[in-house]
Amino acid sequence: MSTEALGGPRGRVVIVGAGIVGCSLADELTARGWSEVTVLEQGPLLAPGGSTSHAPGLVFQTSPSKTLTDFAAYTVRKFSALEVDGLSCFNPVGGLEIATSEERWADLHRKAGLAASWGVRAELLTPARCAELWPLLDQEKIFGGLHTPDDGLARALLASRAQLERATERGARFLDRHTVTGIEQEDGRVTGVVTDRGRFDADIVVSAAGFWGPRIGAMAGVPVPLLPLAHQYAKTAPLPELAGLNDPRTEANRPILRFQDRDLYYREHTDRIGIGTYAHRPIPVDLAEVPAYDDAPVMPSSLPFTAEDFAPSWEESVGLLPALGASHVEEGFNGVFSFTPDGMPVLGESREVRGFWLAEAVWVTHSAGVAKAVAEWMTDGRPSTDVHGCDLYRFEDAQRSPAYVAERGAQNFVEVYDVIHPLQPMERPRPLRVSPFHIRQRELGAYFLEGGGWERPHWYEANAGLAEGVQLPPRDAWSARYWSPIAAAEARVTRERVALYDMTPLKRLEVSGRGALAFLQRMTTNQLAKKPGAVTYTLLLDEAGGVRSDLTVARLAENRFQVGANGGLDLDWLLRHAPEGGTSPSETGGVHITDITPGTACIGVWGPLARELVQPLTRDDFSHGAFGYFKARQTHIGHVPVTAMRLSYVGELGWELYTTADMGLRLWDTLWEAGQRHGVIAAGRSAFNSLRLEKGYRAWGHDMTTEHDPYEAGVGFAVRMDKGEFIGRAALEGRSEETARRRLTCLTLDDPAALVMGSEPVFVDGAPAGYVTSAAYGYTVGRTVAYAWLPAAAAVPGTAVHIEYFGEKVPATVAAEPLFDPRMTRIRR
């Protein structure tokens, strides 16, 4: 959303919630000139009784998510610069994570790499050094620790006050004791907020209500995928070991201590220790049972302490910190806060109710960073930080049910401190979404992982015999998880014969109507004004030229296009920009946008024998001359009507064959039976990822995001500046591959046996200079292939670099891309 929708930067904004997020957002908005900001709070100001009021204030910046790390880093910078009554709003005591198992010690090496990738200072420490930082530790029980000196404790209530006062000076008003009872709207836009003390006109309403977010969302008719859960926190009695150590105003000197092997963390409270635990059972909280502020014994978010849940955590704490054996829990509570199905915040504007925004499921750790991103989004039309992993529309419809949100939210609570592999799927609810081929895939022994609710085969045990004798380097325990040598055999068969790939989970949209071409031309970067039957690779950009997504657009008829997209965010973006909301065509040249994914299925038929397999099954000519690369046609494969597109994401000859879901199984069986004489196999995502990296194909969301422009990402060939206006075009004026200061760069590891997996730091001349986006062993080229963001000066073929993998510096070399078939002879034949 841009300020144009409000007629300039003077729209009336009502923020629901004066916790740390609401106060931070009011500060960020007023700093950008938006003075008509009202913040409504149901409790008293400065200690309103939500999660902010009881939060222990831990700020650990390092995360597998670059976005969350960026949010936390900004929170540290901002709160460090804020003071109230001479006391800083941030206490930089640092952080210390300790390992009591070999698995955790290895994971701390991985986290040190993540810290280097995202620009966070971190150092691995010996047990003795850990005990120097935390003398109460029993160093005999630990393998070592990870010290992050710039982490620390946010004083959330002070930071709320400081930002409230600044925003008030700029014209904002904060009103306490106002309970929101309704969100008014007209013609699909918010118009006001109703409270128990009156109504407030609004052009924008932001729900920053914390765990009350689902209640506020329901008033607007916007489901908020958030589960309130209780989390235990306790304080010990005063400890002699801490007597006189800490100033009562600052409370703590020692680092925040995390004992993640037992789901525990610790911080000092002057002469006591606070203990937080995730080791107990998930305790969902029914909002209907949360008391009002004046009815709560302490505060609404502070529920009675359940000592029986805490008992095992106390025993573990005494084992790690023996001095606690002479103490006891003096006070405790079960504090309510928010979890989502994937553990990320929920941000952005509702498409169905324009002007209604969410800034929910945000912990103190990320609060200022989230507020900055949302304020940029509201005032400039885009956040400077990539937020696709936080966007409300990242969830598919199948992931929005209350049952799904509850089950996944509870599981995220259980796993919050677990060592999570990047490929590790949730266990439940599964299977949720399956392609029509699922029954055949199970018969072939498919090993399924999950994404977007879809079951996705990664390899097939039926191909195990093909892997016998395949020579591969040994794998460490981490890279061997969710992997099988069968993937190597499937990749080889794809290169040598032919394989079937289930591409059903990829988002498919139909864009039709008399205005469809003009609309897509305005939305995308490449030239789409081609004859029916043409397929075009193109990009969606934001107004600043950042890559929102990459698409394949097939013109199937004069006014009908099929769009291969990356997910729900692409559908949302197109719907937001379509005339009449994209809901129906009109006589004057409207546009109709439909998500056809659930009703269709797709098989990728790829390999040098793909034509031999497909041609006998159709009466149409599938020769190269008659059916060229990046062409589409509607035809039949046996009895099955299909839309065939000559595309390949593995670098081999072949087609994507689309049909309706009811005909999907028949299509699979037809291809499978005909393919037996050609040695056809089913192949999975593991082989697919290896093959696409050898070919240099980008994966949006991993290799490129809105933080990168097309020339930096190596997809400038999909931009046609001479085709007319399109979103992002003005921002690209004067840019080129030559002007790019950083580049997505192909690397190959020098040692054929070395492995990396993604997100590792890349060192140039001994200093961290970038990070790996995607990596996989290239079974054709015989070594690991990695793509990484590097400064342009280092992105020169032949440049020597190092990638840090679990603490080891692995030599790698910048390579010219693509590594496989650079002349495209295998695809174009």
Side-chain angles (χ1 to χ4, degrees):
M1 178 175 180
S2 68
T3 57
E4 180 183 358
L6 302 177
R10 295 291 176 224
R12 297 162 297 181
V13 180
V14 174
I15 299 171
V16 181
I20 189 63
V21 178
C23 291
S24 296
L25 180 56
D27 183 52
E28 295 286 341
L29 285 173
T30 55
R32 289 165 173 78
W34 284 33
S35 58
E36 292 188 66
V37 176
T38 300
V39 184
L40 302 176
E41 173 53 53
Q42 64 181 344
L45 292 176
L46 302 182
S51 301
T52 301
S53 301
H54 66 67
L58 281 63
V59 179
F60 278 87
Q61 298 172 81
T62 306
S63 165
S65 165
K66 180 179 180 295
T67 297
L68 291 187
T69 297
D70 289 347
F71 286 164
Y74 182 78
T75 301
V76 169
R77 293 195 301 272
K78 183 174 187 180
F79 289 1
S80 296
L82 294 175
E83 286 189 0
V84 174
D85 298 333
L87 185 63
S88 173
C89 293
F90 187 77
N91 185 0
V93 294
L96 177 64
E97 299 179 50
I98 53 99
T100 59
S101 65
E102 290 185 359
E103 181 186 23
R104 183 70 62 177
W105 183 227
D107 190 57
L108 292 187
H109 284 75
R110 183 178 70 94
K111 283 190 174 179
L114 289 172
S117 290
W118 313 145
V120 177
R121 288 201 300 156
E123 180 185 8
L124 291 163
L125 303 182
T126 64
R129 179 61 181 138
C130 291
E132 289 178 15
L133 292 176
W134 253 85
L136 300 185
L137 271 173
D138 181 356
Q139 65 173 294
E140 298 299 321
K141 294 188 175 179
I142 64 177
F143 286 78
L146 178 68
H147 183 220
T148 45
D150 299 321
D151 291 340
L153 296 168
R155 298 185 174 96
L157 292 179
L158 282 185
S160 296
R161 176 182 164 188
Q163 294 176 103
L164 178 153
E165 291 174 352
R166 295 203 312 191
T168 301
E169 291 174 357
R170 302 186 191 112
R173 58 176 175 166
F174 289 74
L175 303 176
D176 64 359
R177 302 291 186 170
H178 282 67
T179 299
V180 174
T181 59
I183 307 293
E184 293 186 342
Q185 50 188 289
E186 185 177 339
D187 295 329
R189 284 203 63 88
V190 294
T191 57
V193 177
V194 180
T195 77
D196 58 350
R197 298 177 64 180
R199 180 188 181 280
F200 297 83
D201 290 334
D203 300 296
I204 291 178
V205 176
V206 184
S207 178
F211 63 81
W212 285 286
R215 177 179 292 173
I216 303 301
M219 295 177 190
V222 177
V224 179
L226 177 160
L227 177 69
L229 284 162
H231 163 58
Q232 290 197 301
Y233 193 78
K235 293 180 182 178
T236 67
L239 297 172
E241 293 84 356
L242 298 183
L245 180 67
N246 296 313
D247 184 330
R249 276 172 55 86
T250 58
E251 288 197 321
N253 282 301
R254 290 172 179 161
I256 309 160
L257 179 65
R258 290 207 285 188
F259 180 20
Q260 294 181 301
D261 282 322
R262 294 297 181 269
D263 299 311
L264 287 157
Y265 64 84
Y266 310 88
R267 58 153 293 185
E268 294 175 319
H269 290 278
T270 310
D271 60 352
R272 301 190 291 170
I273 291 178
I275 306 171
T277 179
Y278 296 96
H280 57 82
R281 62 190 169 90
I283 308 175
V285 176
D286 184 348
L287 288 179
E289 298 178 2
V290 176
Y293 188 91
D294 292 326
D295 297 331
V298 181
M299 66 179 81
S301 63
S302 182
L303 304 182
F305 188 64
T306 51
E308 65 278 9
D309 287 313
F310 192 77
S313 292
W314 177 255
E315 292 183 14
E316 295 289 354
S317 297
V318 171
L320 183 71
L321 308 170
L324 298 186
S327 187
H328 62 277
V329 173
E330 188 168 86
E331 61 179 285
F333 63 94
N334 289 8
V336 185
F337 68 150
S338 306
F339 273 83
T340 59
D342 58 4
M344 297 290 282
V346 179
L347 312 178
E349 183 191 17
S350 168
R351 185 179 67 250
E352 296 81 4
V353 184
R354 295 298 183 97
F356 185 78
W357 288 73
L358 296 176
E360 296 292 7
V362 182
W363 293 5
V364 171
T365 306
H366 311 112
S367 54
V370 163
K372 173 177 176 284
V374 173
E376 291 173 335
W377 208 343
M378 292 168 63
T379 61
D380 301 332
R382 69 182 295 272
S384 56
T385 299
D386 166 52
V387 294
H388 82 272
C390 307
D391 195 300
L392 168 64
Y393 291 92
R394 71 187 184 270
F395 295 113
E396 296 285 328
D397 288 345
Q399 300 171 297
R400 296 175 183 269
S401 70
Y404 185 94
V405 172
E407 194 162 9
R408 288 289 173 100
Q411 189 62 26
N412 268 301
F413 177 90
V414 171
E415 295 180 352
V416 69
Y417 275 176
D418 288 359
V419 177
I420 302 295
H421 193 277
L423 293 176
Q424 183 173 331
M426 285 283 191
E427 295 301 321
R428 298 186 309 271
R430 292 180 62 194
L432 185 63
R433 307 175 78 187
V434 298
S435 78
F437 324 129
H438 186 68
I439 187 172
R440 295 291 183 260
Q441 292 166 343
R442 291 180 60 187
E443 291 168 356
L444 293 170
Y447 185 90
F448 293 99
L449 297 180
E450 182 260 354
W454 287 100
E455 295 296 314
R456 303 185 180 201
H458 273 243
W459 65 84
Y460 294 84
E461 290 297 330
N463 298 325
L466 298 173
E468 295 177 5
V470 174
Q471 298 298 312
L472 295 172
R475 288 195 168 225
D476 62 276
W478 186 252
S479 64
R481 292 181 68 182
Y482 308 106
W483 173 86
S484 168
I486 295 172
E490 292 176 358
R492 184 178 65 184
V493 171
T494 305
R495 293 278 189 237
E496 295 177 354
R497 301 200 302 260
V498 61
L500 306 183
Y501 287 81
D502 181 1
M503 305 303 290
T504 302
L506 298 184
K507 179 71 75 176
R508 289 174 294 285
L509 311 175
E510 183 176 274
V511 181
S512 60
R514 297 176 64 183
L517 175 60
F519 169 67
L520 288 172
Q521 285 281 71
R522 179 170 61 87
M523 296 301 299
T524 69
T525 60
N526 213 336
Q527 179 58 260
L528 303 182
K530 302 174 181 176
K531 295 178 180 180
V535 183
T536 307
Y537 176 82
T538 188
L539 308 173
L540 292 179
L541 304 182
D542 62 21
E543 292 84 351
V547 181
R548 281 195 58 96
S549 189
D550 61 343
L551 313 173
T552 53
V553 179
R555 191 173 193 179
L556 301 181
E558 193 71 19
N559 297 320
R560 184 164 66 91
F561 297 80
Q562 182 170 311
V563 178
N566 281 298
L569 297 182
D570 297 341
L571 174 60
D572 176 56
W573 183 253
L574 294 176
L575 287 173
R576 287 179 188 273
H577 289 84
E580 301 181 10
T583 57
S584 62
S586 73
E587 293 300 322
T588 57
V591 177
H592 187 57
I593 302 170
T594 306
D595 181 0
I596 61 173
T597 314
T600 55
C602 178
I603 299 176
V605 184
W606 292 315
L609 301 183
R611 184 174 286 115
E612 280 84 344
L613 192 164
V614 174
Q615 182 62 82
L617 301 174
T618 179
R619 295 182 180 183
D620 287 319
D621 187 350
F622 271 53
S623 68
H624 181 64
F627 197 158
Y629 189 53
F630 265 78
K631 298 297 181 182
R633 67 172 52 168
Q634 292 175 300
T635 183
H636 287 79
I637 299 296
H639 296 90
V640 182
V642 302
T643 298
M645 298 187 196
R646 188 158 169 209
L647 307 175
S648 173
Y649 288 95
V650 299
E652 295 292 339
L653 170 69
W655 289 265
E656 292 179 355
L657 302 176
Y658 299 88
T659 191
T660 52
D662 62 318
M663 298 295 290
L665 186 59
R666 182 60 179 262
L667 176 61
W668 179 281
D669 288 345
T670 299
L671 293 167
W672 185 258
E673 181 180 352
Q676 293 308 299
R677 61 192 295 256
H678 303 293
V680 73
I681 64 165
R685 299 289 298 183
S686 186
F688 176 92
N689 196 47
S690 170
L691 297 168
R692 70 102 180 164
L693 283 171
E694 290 181 330
K695 193 59 182 167
Y697 293 143
R698 277 68 169 143
W700 185 85
H702 295 278
D703 300 319
M704 55 188 181
T705 68
T706 55
E707 295 182 6
H708 314 108
D709 76 30
Y711 305 111
E712 296 171 328
V715 289
F717 63 86
V719 177
R720 294 290 183 268
M721 294 292 286
D722 58 354
K723 77 161 192 171
E725 285 301 315
F726 56 85
I727 294 176
R729 183 185 184 281
L732 295 186
E733 289 283 2
R735 300 193 206 180
S736 66
E737 291 185 10
E738 289 69 31
T739 64
R741 292 181 294 178
R742 58 180 176 175
R743 292 200 178 104
L744 185 62
T745 307
C746 180
L747 308 175
T748 56
L749 273 58
D750 295 354
D751 181 354
L755 297 162
V756 298
M757 296 193 64
S759 297
E760 297 89 355
V762 181
F763 292 75
V764 178
D765 296 329
Y771 59 90
V772 174
T773 58
S774 297
Y777 192 83
Y779 301 113
T780 312
V781 300
R783 63 186 64 239
T784 294
V785 181
Y787 273 77
W789 281 101
L790 289 178
V796 178
T799 302
V801 301
H802 287 83
I803 304 174
E804 184 178 298
Y805 182 69
F806 285 89
E808 179 185 356
K809 299 291 197 307
V810 180
T813 302
V814 174
E817 59 169 337
L819 297 171
F820 180 79
D821 189 26
R823 298 191 179 188
M824 302 284 285
T825 57
R826 296 176 70 91
I827 291 178
R828 302 176 185 274
R829 61 180 178 182

